[in-house]
């Protein structure tokens, strides 16, 4: 007698589809990044040898005109290979023979497209919200310690611990970063800025997380109806907040506030998106999925602008040096620095992927 232990297709599909959504979105972000480079290269009549989505062996390749178009097996990157990008070329349409300002635009275009993509995703998220959160306090929960130590209903939060507050995301993020639940606020009250020292919030220890506390958010913020103006304004403000969260988190990583073990690679990112997709589908509230999608798009855009060799930001540094010195850096030196930077990035990716696998196994 044989038992049928196979799972129904619907059960398998419910587990698989969130990961397919995550991989698809990751691929779309990369595709638009490379498309930014590609379109501006074409606009400035630069010869593009290959436009590739993904890394590793090609699973699809087709030549059209002067360009090979390829889709590769690993959805962890992509590239636009331009004539004269990494070496000197006599071709008049080569990247190295174009004016400096055109080369800078081409290099920055990929990250810029990702940042614009993040703003658009935030706008979509706000459009489907009943209310858009602001930075103004509407009311307090019972026994709110922050009200007892200075905050008042109607206050518009301007700064927390010396850092500017642009949107509701800043309030949550900056409070989360605090170590003891006692913070300095600057608020706008009756048209004037008021400084409030040592505003207290209740805290509680986080189980299993030594030396970390949970800070109790004890007030309610004002919400506004989504209109064209409110969505446009808050899409930019919330995108600025998300971008700053990326920079601050990177600074915290460099300064040792968080360990390298907290770094996630492609597997971790895909897993987070899959979890958000599954949660959004269950609740029919797409805010969690759209939020993490916006975070990833903005994160990739900003990360690529870091002045690290092998990234767009590193290439921009070389172009800026060329503009200041009025001569191109040595291709040999630039090549060596780029290879070293690429090796370090691959090492970081391997380490982050190892972290991802360890977290999944545990």
């Amino acid at each position: 007698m044989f038992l049928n232990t196979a799972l129904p297709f619907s059960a398998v599909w419910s587990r698989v589809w969130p990961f397919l959504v995550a991989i698809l979105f990751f691929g779309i972000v990369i595709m638009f990044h490379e498309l930014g480079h590609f379109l501006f290269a074409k606009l400035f009549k630069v010869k593009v040898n290959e436009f590739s989505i993904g890394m590793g062996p090609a699973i699809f390749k087709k030549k059209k005109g002067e360009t090979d178009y390829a889709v590769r097996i690993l959805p962890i990157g992509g590239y636009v290979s331009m004539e004269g990008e990494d070496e000197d070329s006599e071709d008049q349409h080569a990247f190295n023979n174009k004016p400096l300002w055109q080369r800078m635009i081409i290099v920055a275009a990929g990250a810029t497209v990702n940042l614009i993509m993040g703003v658009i995703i935030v706008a979509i998220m706000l459009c489907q919200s009943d209310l858009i959160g602001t930075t103004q306090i509407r009311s307090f929960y019972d026994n709110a310690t922050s009200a007892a130590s200075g905050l008042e209903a109607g206050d518009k939060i301007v700064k927390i611990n010396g850092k500017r507050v642009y949107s509701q995301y800043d309030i949550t993020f900056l409070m989360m970063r605090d170590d003891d639940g006692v913070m300095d606020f600057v608020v706008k009250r009756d048209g004037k800025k008021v400084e409030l020292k040592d505003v207290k919030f209740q805290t509680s220890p986080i189980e299993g997380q030594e030396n970390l506390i949970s800070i109790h958010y004890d007030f309610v913020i004002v919400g506004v109806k989504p209109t064209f103006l409110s969505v446009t304004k808050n899409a930019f403000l919330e995108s600025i907040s998300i971008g700053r969260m990326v920079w601050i988190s990177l600074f915290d990583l460099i300064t040792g506030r968080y360990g390298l073990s907290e770094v996630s690679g492609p597997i971790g990112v895909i897993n987070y998106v899959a979890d958000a997709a599954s949660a959004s589908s269950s609740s029919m509230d797409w805010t969690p999925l759209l939020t993490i999608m916006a975070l990833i798009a903005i994160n990739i855009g900003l990360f690529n602008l870091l002045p690290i060799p092998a990234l767009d930001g590193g290439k921009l540094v070389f172009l800026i040096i060329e503009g200041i010195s009025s001569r191109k850096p040595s291709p040999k030196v630039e090549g060596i620095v780029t290879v070293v930077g690429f090796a370090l990035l691959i090492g970081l990716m391997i380490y982050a992927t190892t972290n991802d696998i360890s977290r999944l196994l545990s």
Side-chain angles (χ1 to χ4, degrees):
M1 181 178 181
F2 295 95
L3 295 176
N4 183 5
T5 58
L7 289 172
F9 175 78
S10 59
V12 174
W13 177 247
S14 67
R15 296 180 183 181
V16 170
W17 78 261
F19 290 93
L20 295 179
V21 168
I23 293 170
L24 177 63
F25 174 72
F26 206 44
I28 288 173
V29 172
I30 294 167
M31 181 185 73
F32 275 97
H33 178 94
E34 301 304 332
L35 195 61
H37 294 309
F38 177 79
L39 291 177
F40 276 94
K42 289 292 188 181
L43 177 66
F44 296 135
K45 294 181 170 53
V46 174
K47 181 182 178 182
V48 178
N49 295 323
E50 184 173 345
F51 176 81
S52 179
I53 301 299
M55 305 292 281
I59 55 177
F60 170 83
K61 201 167 187 178
K62 183 176 181 180
K63 189 174 184 68
K64 186 174 181 182
E66 63 187 14
T67 305
D68 286 321
Y69 297 87
V71 177
R72 299 183 180 275
I73 195 166
L74 300 175
I76 58 172
Y79 58 88
V80 173
S81 176
M82 293 174 282
E83 180 73 19
E85 181 181 8
D86 299 316
E87 72 288 319
D88 286 333
S89 172
E90 299 299 324
D91 192 322
Q92 64 174 334
H93 296 298
F95 177 82
N96 64 293
N97 292 324
K98 294 297 178 179
L100 178 64
W101 67 271
Q102 291 186 1
R103 284 180 281 144
M104 293 184 74
I105 289 175
I106 292 170
V107 170
T112 303
V113 168
N114 285 144
L115 295 176
I116 293 171
M117 185 178 181
V119 175
I120 292 172
I121 294 172
V122 172
I124 293 171
M125 177 178 68
L126 295 178
C127 284
Q128 58 97 48
S129 301
D130 294 328
L131 291 172
I132 299 172
T134 67
T135 59
Q136 186 174 18
I137 298 174
R138 182 174 71 85
S139 60
F140 294 88
Y141 295 113
D142 293 338
N143 303 315
T145 54
S146 64
S149 53
L151 289 178
E152 295 181 5
D155 285 349
K156 184 177 181 181
I157 300 172
V158 178
K159 290 183 180 180
I160 297 177
N161 287 338
K163 287 187 167 54
R164 179 71 187 273
V165 171
Y166 295 97
S167 75
Q168 59 173 331
Y169 285 117
D170 289 321
I171 300 174
T172 305
F173 180 68
L174 294 174
M175 286 178 60
M176 181 187 70
R177 290 186 75 247
D178 190 76
D179 294 323
D180 59 4
V182 181
M183 306 168 216
D184 295 336
F185 276 69
V186 175
V187 301
K188 198 165 187 180
R189 182 183 296 171
D190 299 326
K192 298 179 181 179
K193 285 187 179 179
V194 179
E195 292 188 15
L196 302 171
K197 297 289 186 181
D198 300 331
V199 177
K200 296 179 175 63
F201 292 84
Q202 290 183 342
T203 64
S204 58
I206 299 177
E207 186 177 349
Q209 299 287 332
E210 190 176 344
N211 299 324
L212 292 180
I213 59 171
S214 173
I215 297 173
H216 298 261
Y217 195 112
D218 61 8
F219 55 81
V220 179
I221 56 177
V222 173
V224 296
K225 290 285 187 181
T227 64
F228 177 79
L229 289 177
S230 65
V231 167
T232 302
K233 174 185 174 182
N234 285 282
F236 280 100
L237 291 175
E238 293 192 5
S239 296
I240 290 171
S241 297
I242 291 172
R244 192 173 64 165
M245 283 193 298
V246 173
W247 286 119
I248 293 176
S249 298
L250 179 63
F251 177 78
D252 288 342
L253 188 66
I254 293 172
T255 57
R257 184 183 178 94
Y258 302 115
L260 280 175
S261 60
E262 302 295 325
V263 176
S264 289
I267 294 175
V269 172
I270 288 173
N271 194 52
Y272 293 142
V273 178
D275 288 345
S278 182
S280 293
S281 176
S282 299
S283 64
M284 296 308 293
D285 176 9
W286 299 101
T287 301
L289 179 60
L290 291 170
T291 300
I292 197 168
M293 283 181 168
L295 177 62
I296 291 170
I298 293 171
N299 195 349
I300 289 176
L302 290 177
F303 183 77
N304 270 279
L305 289 176
L306 289 175
I308 298 174
L311 293 180
D312 295 338
K315 295 177 182 178
L316 281 173
V317 169
F318 280 112
L319 292 173
I320 291 170
I321 292 172
E322 178 185 336
I324 295 172
S325 64
S326 299
R327 63 178 184 178
K328 294 182 180 180
S330 166
K332 184 177 180 180
V333 172
E334 185 175 348
I336 292 172
V337 172
T338 300
V339 168
V340 172
F342 184 74
L344 290 174
L345 285 175
I346 292 296
L348 178 61
M349 185 174 292
I350 292 172
Y351 179 83
T353 302
T354 303
N355 285 344
D356 294 339
I357 295 172
S358 297
R359 280 192 286 265
L360 288 173
L361 292 176
S362 62

